[in-house]
């Protein structure tokens, strides 16, 4: 149980385009999901908290107009990187909070974004 | 704000050696503590967690960790490592009781030599 999927696993796009990444909890409902970013050889940095049915909460320094988050259902959160630039190239990882799992976050496999 | 320090960025051990990976955090209130493992090419998996109660926590695959509040530490241990334990290990913390995101340490890359 407690499986989280992400789609796509890899995406290459041109500078200036927008990219949408999906995060799904497959076998549990998650009112709260999180988006992290991981730079090469570095740790995960929390970008934002995605709350079902309400606005996302962004960490300091993360542009909310750049990284649009929508959590329309209890099993799906999406992250849209708008007007992507090469510096947005990174590994984006989502997690879903399982209340039944004692407040544990379960992580998706990540999405590798490369902006040319 | 919380911060998490993992002191060993790279660790190389032989099979059957004992393992201890250090993790210290800075936060004065109630915390929830986690160790995650990331095997090559795979996503993060939960090894173990501490919320409250017995400070010695046992996780999967023979791992355990001890919460020492006075030292703000949550070190990960395994008495005898295997080649398959080669992976990246992350310590993480969040404020207790809330639906907050995790603050991660920089990770420790563990290599087990056969």
């Amino acid at each position: 149980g407690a499986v989280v999927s992400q789609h796509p696993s890899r995406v290459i796009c041109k500078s200036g385009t927008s990219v949408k990444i999906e995060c799904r909890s497959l076998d549990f409902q998650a009112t709260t999901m999180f988006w992290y970013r991981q730079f090469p050889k570095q740790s995960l940095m929390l970008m934002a908290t995605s709350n079902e049915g309400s606005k996302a909460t962004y960490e300091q320094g993360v542009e909310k107009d750049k990284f649009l988050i929508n959590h329309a259902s209890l099993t799906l959160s999406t992250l849209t990187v708008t007007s992507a630039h090469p510096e947005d190239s990174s590994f984006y990882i989502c997690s879903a909070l399982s209340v039944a799992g004692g407040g544990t976050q379960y992580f998706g496999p990540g999405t590798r974004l490369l902006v040319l | 704000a919380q911060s998490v320090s993992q002191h060993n960025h790279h660790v190389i051990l032989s099979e059957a050696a004992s393992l201890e990976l250090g993790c210290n955090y800075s936060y004065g209130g109630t915390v929830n503590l986690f160790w995650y493992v990331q095997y090559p090419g795979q996503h993060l998996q939960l090894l173990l967690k501490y919320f409250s109660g017995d400070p010695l926590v046992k996780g999967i695959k023979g791992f355990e960790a001890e919460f020492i509040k006075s030292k703000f530490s949550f070190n990960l241990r395994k008495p005898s490592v295997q080649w398959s334990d080669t992976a990246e290990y992350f310590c993480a913390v969040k404020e207790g009781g809330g639906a907050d995101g995790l603050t991660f340490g920089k990770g420790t890359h563990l290599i087990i030599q056969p």
Side-chain angles (χ1 to χ4, degrees):
Chain A
V3 177
V4 177
S5 70
Q6 277 184 246
H7 179 79
S9 58
R10 290 175 179 267
V11 57
I12 300 173
C13 69
K14 293 182 179 179
S15 186
T17 61
S18 294
V19 174
K20 181 187 283 189
I21 303 169
E22 292 185 349
C23 176
R24 294 181 186 273
S25 55
L26 297 184
D27 51 2
F28 66 101
Q29 294 184 331
T31 55
T32 306
M33 292 183 172
F34 303 90
W35 287 96
Y36 295 83
R37 185 171 177 176
Q38 186 177 28
F39 292 99
K41 308 290 186 186
Q42 295 189 33
S43 188
L44 287 79
M45 297 292 292
L46 179 66
M47 297 174 65
T49 302
S50 172
N51 302 299
E52 189 266 337
S54 64
K55 290 184 179 180
T57 306
Y58 291 83
E59 295 300 299
Q60 193 171 13
V62 178
E63 298 176 60
K64 62 180 181 181
D65 296 329
K66 173 85 172 163
F67 299 99
L68 300 179
I69 291 172
N70 184 276
H71 194 155
S73 78
L74 289 172
T75 58
L76 173 64
S77 174
T78 60
L79 169 69
T80 301
V81 183
T82 62
S83 187
H85 290 284
E87 57 265 30
D88 298 324
S89 298
S90 191
F91 195 52
Y92 293 88
I93 305 173
C94 75
S95 70
L97 184 64
S98 170
V99 176
T104 300
Q105 289 184 33
Y106 294 92
F107 284 81
T111 296
R112 176 79 58 194
L113 170 64
L114 177 60
V115 185
L116 301 176
Chain B
Q2 308 139 1
S3 67
V4 179
S5 296
Q6 290 182 242
H7 313 295
N8 314 105
H9 298 300
H10 295 276
V11 173
I12 302 175
L13 295 173
S14 298
E15 276 194 312
S18 64
L19 170 72
E20 180 160 1
L21 300 182
C23 174
N24 287 89
Y25 65 92
S26 66
Y27 181 68
T30 303
V31 290
N32 296 152
L33 296 156
F34 306 81
W35 275 98
Y36 284 88
V37 61
Q38 188 171 30
Y39 297 104
Q42 297 188 29
H43 59 278
L44 285 165
Q45 297 177 40
L46 180 68
L47 269 181
L48 47 78
K49 63 187 179 185
Y50 172 81
F51 282 12
S52 65
D54 189 345
L56 184 61
V57 180
K58 293 194 183 299
I60 61 172
K61 306 190 182 193
F63 286 92
E64 66 178 31
E66 185 175 11
F67 170 51
I68 303 180
K69 189 174 182 180
S70 61
K71 294 185 178 181
F72 297 89
S73 70
F74 190 56
N75 292 355
L76 180 71
R77 299 195 291 249
K78 185 170 183 177
S80 177
V81 294
Q82 301 170 306
W83 177 78
S84 57
D85 293 324
T86 295
E88 192 84 20
Y89 292 80
F90 293 96
C91 180
V93 64
K94 78 170 187 70
E95 289 184 40
D100 299 322
L102 300 177
T103 299
F104 281 85
K106 289 186 183 296
T108 297
H109 188 198
L110 175 66
I111 297 174
I112 306 300
Q113 296 176 330

